[in-house]
Coordinates of all heavy atoms in Angstrom, one line a residue:
Chain A
S31 N 3.5 -5.1 14.3 CA 3.1 -3.8 13.8 C 1.9 -3.9 12.9 O 1.7 -4.8 12.2 CB 4.3 -3.2 13.0 OG 5.5 -3.2 13.8
Y33 N -1.0 -1.2 10.6 CA -1.2 0.1 10.0 C -2.6 0.3 9.4 O -3.2 -0.7 9.0 CB -0.2 0.2 8.8 CG 1.2 -0.3 9.0 CD1 1.5 -1.7 9.1 CD2 2.3 0.6 9.2 CE1 2.8 -2.1 9.4 CE2 3.5 0.2 9.5 CZ 3.8 -1.2 9.5 OH 5.1 -1.6 9.8
Y35 N -4.2 2.6 6.2 CA -4.0 3.5 5.1 C -5.4 3.8 4.4 O -6.3 3.1 4.6 CB -3.2 2.8 4.0 CG -1.8 2.5 4.4 CD1 -1.4 1.3 5.0 CD2 -0.7 3.4 4.0 CE1 -0.1 1.0 5.3 CE2 0.6 3.1 4.3 CZ 0.9 1.9 5.0 OH 2.2 1.6 5.3
Q37 N -6.8 4.9 0.4 CA -6.3 5.0 -1.0 C -7.4 5.7 -1.8 O -8.6 5.3 -1.8 CB -6.2 3.6 -1.6 CG -5.6 3.6 -3.0 CD -5.3 2.2 -3.5 OE1 -6.0 1.2 -3.2 NE2 -4.3 2.0 -4.3
G40 N -5.5 8.2 -7.9 CA -4.4 9.1 -8.3 C -3.5 9.5 -7.2 O -2.6 10.3 -7.4
M41 N -3.7 9.0 -6.0 CA -2.9 9.5 -4.9 C -2.2 8.3 -4.1 O -1.5 8.6 -3.1 CB -3.8 10.2 -3.9 CG -4.4 11.5 -4.4 SD -5.2 12.5 -3.2 CE -3.8 13.2 -2.4
G42 N -2.3 7.1 -4.6 CA -1.6 6.0 -3.9 C -2.2 5.8 -2.5 O -3.3 6.3 -2.2
L43 N -1.5 5.1 -1.7 CA -1.9 4.9 -0.3 C -1.2 5.9 0.6 O -0.1 6.2 0.5 CB -1.5 3.5 0.2 CG -2.3 2.3 -0.4 CD1 -1.7 1.9 -1.7 CD2 -2.3 1.2 0.6
R44 N -2.0 6.4 1.6 CA -1.5 7.4 2.5 C -1.7 6.8 3.9 O -2.8 6.4 4.3 CB -2.2 8.7 2.4 CG -1.8 9.5 1.1 CD -2.5 10.8 1.0 NE -3.9 10.7 0.8 CZ -4.7 11.7 0.9 NH1 -4.3 12.9 1.2 NH2 -6.0 11.5 0.7
L45 N -0.7 6.9 4.7 CA -0.7 6.3 6.1 C -1.5 7.2 7.0 O -1.3 8.4 7.1 CB 0.7 6.2 6.6 CG 0.9 5.6 8.0 CD1 0.4 4.1 8.0 CD2 2.4 5.6 8.4
Y48 N -0.4 4.3 12.6 CA 0.3 3.0 12.7 C 0.5 2.6 14.2 O 0.4 3.5 15.1 CB 1.6 2.9 12.0 CG 2.7 3.8 12.5 CD1 3.6 3.3 13.4 CD2 2.8 5.2 12.1 CE1 4.6 4.1 13.9 CE2 3.8 6.0 12.6 CZ 4.7 5.5 13.5 OH 5.7 6.3 14.0
A50 N 3.3 0.5 16.2 CA 4.6 -0.3 16.1 C 4.5 -1.5 16.9 O 5.1 -2.5 16.5 CB 5.7 0.6 16.5
K57 N 0.7 8.8 14.9 CA 0.1 9.4 13.7 C 0.9 9.2 12.4 O 2.1 9.2 12.5 CB -0.1 11.0 13.9 CG -1.1 11.3 15.0 CD -1.2 12.8 15.2 CE -2.1 13.2 16.3 NZ -2.2 14.6 16.6
G58 N 0.2 9.1 11.3 CA 0.9 9.0 10.0 C 0.7 10.3 9.3 O 0.7 11.4 9.9
E59 N 0.6 10.2 8.0 CA 0.5 11.4 7.2 C -0.8 12.2 7.2 O -0.8 13.4 7.2 CB 0.8 11.0 5.7 CG 0.8 12.1 4.7 CD 1.0 11.5 3.3 OE1 1.2 10.3 3.1 OE2 0.9 12.4 2.3
F90 N -7.4 0.5 3.9 CA -6.6 -0.8 4.0 C -5.9 -0.8 5.3 O -5.3 0.1 5.8 CB -5.6 -0.9 2.9 CG -6.2 -1.1 1.5 CD1 -6.4 -0.1 0.6 CD2 -6.5 -2.4 1.2 CE1 -6.9 -0.3 -0.6 CE2 -7.1 -2.7 -0.1 CZ -7.3 -1.6 -1.0
S94 N 2.9 -6.2 9.9 CA 4.2 -6.5 9.5 C 5.1 -6.9 10.7 O 4.8 -6.5 11.8 CB 4.9 -5.4 8.7 OG 5.2 -4.3 9.7
V95 N 6.1 -7.7 10.4 CA 7.2 -7.8 11.3 C 8.2 -6.6 11.2 O 8.5 -6.0 12.1 CB 7.9 -9.2 11.1 CG1 9.2 -9.2 12.0 CG2 7.0 -10.3 11.4
A97 N 8.8 -3.0 8.8 CA 8.0 -2.1 8.0 C 8.2 -2.3 6.5 O 7.3 -1.9 5.7 CB 8.4 -0.7 8.4
E98 N 9.3 -2.9 6.1 CA 9.5 -3.1 4.6 C 8.7 -4.2 4.0 O 8.7 -4.3 2.8 CB 11.0 -3.3 4.4 CG 11.9 -2.2 4.8 CD 12.3 -2.2 6.3 OE1 11.8 -3.1 7.0 OE2 13.1 -1.4 6.7
T99 N 8.1 -5.0 4.8 CA 7.3 -6.1 4.3 C 6.0 -6.1 5.0 O 5.7 -6.7 6.0 CB 8.1 -7.4 4.6 OG1 9.4 -7.4 4.2 CG2 7.4 -8.6 4.0
Q100 N 5.0 -5.5 4.4 CA 3.7 -5.3 4.9 C 2.7 -6.2 4.2 O 2.8 -6.4 3.0 CB 3.2 -3.9 4.8 CG 4.1 -2.9 5.7 CD 3.6 -1.5 5.7 OE1 2.4 -1.2 5.6 NE2 4.5 -0.6 6.0
Y101 N 1.8 -6.8 4.9 CA 0.7 -7.7 4.4 C -0.6 -6.9 4.6 O -0.9 -6.5 5.7 CB 0.7 -9.0 5.2 CG 1.9 -9.8 5.0 CD1 3.1 -9.6 5.7 CD2 2.0 -10.8 4.0 CE1 4.2 -10.3 5.5 CE2 3.1 -11.6 3.8 CZ 4.2 -11.3 4.6 OH 5.4 -12.1 4.4
F102 N -1.3 -6.8 3.5 CA -2.5 -6.0 3.4 C -3.8 -6.8 3.5 O -3.8 -7.9 2.9 CB -2.5 -5.1 2.2 CG -1.6 -4.0 2.2 CD1 -0.2 -4.1 1.9 CD2 -2.0 -2.7 2.6 CE1 0.6 -3.0 2.0 CE2 -1.2 -1.6 2.6 CZ 0.2 -1.8 2.4
G103 N -4.8 -6.2 4.1 CA -6.1 -6.8 4.0 C -6.8 -6.5 2.7 O -6.2 -5.7 1.9
P104 N -8.0 -6.9 2.5 CA -8.7 -6.7 1.2 C -9.4 -5.4 1.1 O -9.9 -5.0 0.0 CB -9.8 -7.8 1.3 CG -10.1 -8.0 2.7 CD -8.7 -7.9 3.4
G105 N -9.4 -4.6 2.2 CA -9.9 -3.2 2.1 C -11.4 -3.1 2.5 O -12.2 -4.0 2.5
R107 N -14.5 -0.4 1.6 CA -14.9 0.7 0.7 C -16.0 1.5 1.4 O -17.0 1.0 1.8 CB -15.4 0.2 -0.6 CG -14.3 -0.3 -1.5 CD -14.6 -1.5 -2.3 NE -13.4 -2.0 -3.0 CZ -12.5 -2.7 -2.4 NH1 -12.6 -3.1 -1.2 NH2 -11.4 -3.1 -3.1
Chain B
Q9 N 1.8 6.9 -15.7 CA 0.6 6.7 -14.8 C -0.2 5.5 -15.3 O -0.8 4.7 -14.5 CB -0.2 7.9 -14.8 CG 0.3 9.0 -14.0 CD -0.6 10.2 -13.9 OE1 -1.0 10.8 -14.9 NE2 -1.1 10.5 -12.7
S30 N 16.5 4.1 2.3 CA 17.3 3.0 2.8 C 16.9 1.7 2.0 O 17.7 0.8 1.9 CB 17.1 2.8 4.3 OG 15.8 2.6 4.6
S31 N 15.6 1.7 1.6 CA 15.1 0.6 0.8 C 13.9 1.0 0.1 O 13.2 2.0 0.5 CB 14.8 -0.7 1.6 OG 13.7 -0.4 2.5
Q33 N 10.3 -0.7 -1.9 CA 9.5 -1.9 -2.1 C 8.6 -1.7 -3.4 O 8.3 -0.6 -3.7 CB 8.6 -2.2 -1.0 CG 9.3 -2.5 0.3 CD 9.8 -1.3 1.1 OE1 9.1 -0.4 1.3 NE2 11.1 -1.4 1.4
Y35 N 5.0 -3.2 -4.9 CA 3.8 -4.0 -4.7 C 3.0 -4.1 -6.0 O 3.0 -3.1 -6.8 CB 2.9 -3.3 -3.6 CG 3.5 -3.4 -2.2 CD1 4.5 -2.5 -1.8 CD2 3.0 -4.3 -1.3 CE1 4.9 -2.5 -0.5 CE2 3.4 -4.3 0.0 CZ 4.4 -3.4 0.4 OH 4.9 -3.4 1.7
Q37 N -1.1 -4.5 -7.1 CA -2.5 -4.5 -6.5 C -3.5 -4.8 -7.7 O -3.4 -4.2 -8.7 CB -2.8 -3.2 -5.9 CG -4.2 -3.1 -5.3 CD -4.4 -1.7 -4.6 OE1 -3.8 -0.7 -5.0 NE2 -5.4 -1.7 -3.7
P39 N -7.6 -5.3 -8.9 CA -8.8 -4.6 -8.6 C -9.6 -5.3 -7.4 O -9.7 -6.5 -7.4 CB -9.6 -4.7 -9.9 CG -8.6 -4.8 -11.0 CD -7.5 -5.6 -10.4
G40 N -10.0 -4.5 -6.5 CA -10.8 -5.0 -5.3 C -10.0 -5.7 -4.3 O -10.5 -6.3 -3.4
E41 N -8.6 -5.7 -4.4 CA -7.8 -6.4 -3.4 C -6.7 -5.4 -2.8 O -6.5 -4.3 -3.3 CB -7.1 -7.6 -4.1 CG -8.1 -8.6 -4.6 CD -7.3 -9.8 -5.2 OE1 -6.1 -9.9 -5.1 OE2 -8.0 -10.6 -5.8
G42 N -6.1 -5.9 -1.8 CA -5.0 -5.1 -1.2 C -3.7 -5.3 -2.0 O -3.5 -6.3 -2.7
P43 N -2.7 -4.4 -1.8 CA -1.4 -4.6 -2.4 C -0.7 -5.9 -1.9 O -0.9 -6.2 -0.8 CB -0.6 -3.4 -2.0 CG -1.7 -2.4 -1.7 CD -2.8 -3.1 -1.1
V44 N 0.1 -6.5 -2.8 CA 0.9 -7.7 -2.4 C 2.3 -7.3 -2.8 O 2.7 -6.9 -3.9 CB 0.4 -8.9 -3.2 CG1 1.3 -10.1 -2.9 CG2 -1.0 -9.3 -2.9
L45 N 3.2 -7.6 -1.8 CA 4.6 -7.2 -1.9 C 5.3 -8.2 -3.0 O 5.1 -9.4 -3.0 CB 5.4 -7.4 -0.6 CG 6.8 -7.1 -0.6 CD1 7.1 -5.6 -0.9 CD2 7.5 -7.6 0.6
V47 N 8.8 -7.3 -4.1 CA 10.2 -7.3 -3.8 C 10.6 -6.1 -3.0 O 9.9 -5.1 -3.0 CB 11.0 -7.3 -5.2 CG1 11.1 -5.9 -5.8 CG2 12.5 -7.8 -5.0
T48 N 11.7 -6.2 -2.3 CA 12.4 -5.1 -1.6 C 13.8 -5.0 -2.1 O 14.5 -6.0 -2.2 CB 12.4 -5.3 -0.1 OG1 11.1 -5.4 0.4 CG2 13.1 -4.2 0.6
L86 N -2.1 -2.7 -10.8 CA -1.5 -1.5 -10.4 C -0.2 -1.7 -9.7 O -0.2 -2.5 -8.7 CB -2.5 -0.7 -9.4 CG -2.0 0.6 -8.9 CD1 -1.9 1.7 -10.0 CD2 -3.0 1.1 -7.8
L88 N 2.9 -0.4 -7.5 CA 3.1 0.6 -6.5 C 4.6 0.5 -6.0 O 5.0 -0.6 -5.7 CB 2.2 0.6 -5.4 CG 0.7 0.8 -5.7 CD1 -0.1 0.2 -4.5 CD2 0.4 2.2 -5.9
G92 N 10.4 4.5 2.9 CA 10.2 5.4 4.1 C 11.2 5.2 5.1 O 12.2 4.4 5.0
G94 N 11.6 4.2 9.1 CA 10.9 3.6 10.2 C 9.6 3.0 9.7 O 9.5 2.4 8.7
F95 N 8.5 3.3 10.5 CA 7.2 2.8 10.2 C 6.4 3.7 9.3 O 5.4 3.3 8.8 CB 6.4 2.6 11.5 CG 7.0 1.5 12.4 CD1 7.9 1.8 13.4 CD2 6.8 0.2 12.2 CE1 8.5 0.9 14.2 CE2 7.3 -0.8 12.9 CZ 8.2 -0.5 14.0
K96 N 6.9 4.8 9.0 CA 6.2 5.8 8.1 C 6.5 5.5 6.7 O 7.3 6.2 6.0 CB 6.5 7.2 8.5 CG 6.0 7.6 9.9 CD 6.1 9.1 10.2 CE 5.4 9.4 11.6 NZ 5.4 10.8 11.8
T97 N 5.8 4.6 6.1 CA 5.9 4.2 4.7 C 5.1 5.2 3.8 O 4.0 5.5 4.1 CB 5.5 2.8 4.5 OG1 6.2 1.9 5.3 CG2 5.7 2.4 3.0
I98 N 5.7 5.6 2.7 CA 5.0 6.4 1.7 C 4.9 5.6 0.4 O 5.8 4.7 0.2 CB 5.6 7.8 1.5 CG1 7.0 7.6 0.9 CG2 5.7 8.6 2.7 CD1 7.6 8.9 0.3
F99 N 3.9 5.8 -0.3 CA 3.6 5.1 -1.6 C 3.6 6.1 -2.7 O 3.1 7.2 -2.6 CB 2.3 4.3 -1.5 CG 2.4 3.1 -0.7 CD1 2.3 3.1 0.7 CD2 2.4 1.8 -1.4 CE1 2.4 1.9 1.4 CE2 2.5 0.6 -0.7 CZ 2.5 0.7 0.7
G100 N 4.1 5.6 -3.9 CA 3.8 6.4 -5.1 C 2.4 6.2 -5.5 O 1.7 5.3 -5.0
A101 N 1.9 7.0 -6.5 CA 0.5 6.9 -7.0 C 0.3 5.7 -7.8 O -0.8 5.3 -8.1 CB 0.1 8.2 -7.7
G102 N 1.4 5.1 -8.3 CA 1.3 3.8 -9.1 C 1.3 4.0 -10.6 O 1.0 5.0 -11.1
R104 N -0.7 2.0 -13.6 CA -1.7 1.0 -13.9 C -1.4 0.4 -15.3 O -1.4 1.1 -16.3 CB -3.1 1.7 -14.0 CG -4.2 0.7 -14.1 CD -5.6 1.4 -13.8 NE -5.6 1.9 -12.4 CZ -5.9 1.2 -11.3 NH1 -6.1 -0.1 -11.4 NH2 -6.0 1.8 -10.2

Side-chain angles (χ1 to χ4, degrees):
Chain A
S31 305
Y33 314 77
Y35 294 89
Q37 185 174 33
M41 298 189 72
L43 284 88
R44 292 182 292 169
L45 182 64
Y48 67 94
K57 296 178 180 179
E59 181 183 356
F90 288 98
S94 74
V95 173
E98 296 84 0
T99 308
Q100 296 185 26
Y101 294 83
F102 285 81
R107 283 143 189 83
Chain B
Q9 288 183 299
S30 56
S31 67
Q33 294 80 52
Y35 289 81
Q37 183 178 21
E41 299 181 6
V44 175
L45 180 68
V47 76
T48 297
L86 179 66
L88 298 161
F95 294 96
K96 293 190 174 183
T97 302
I98 63 168
F99 283 78
R104 190 167 297 278

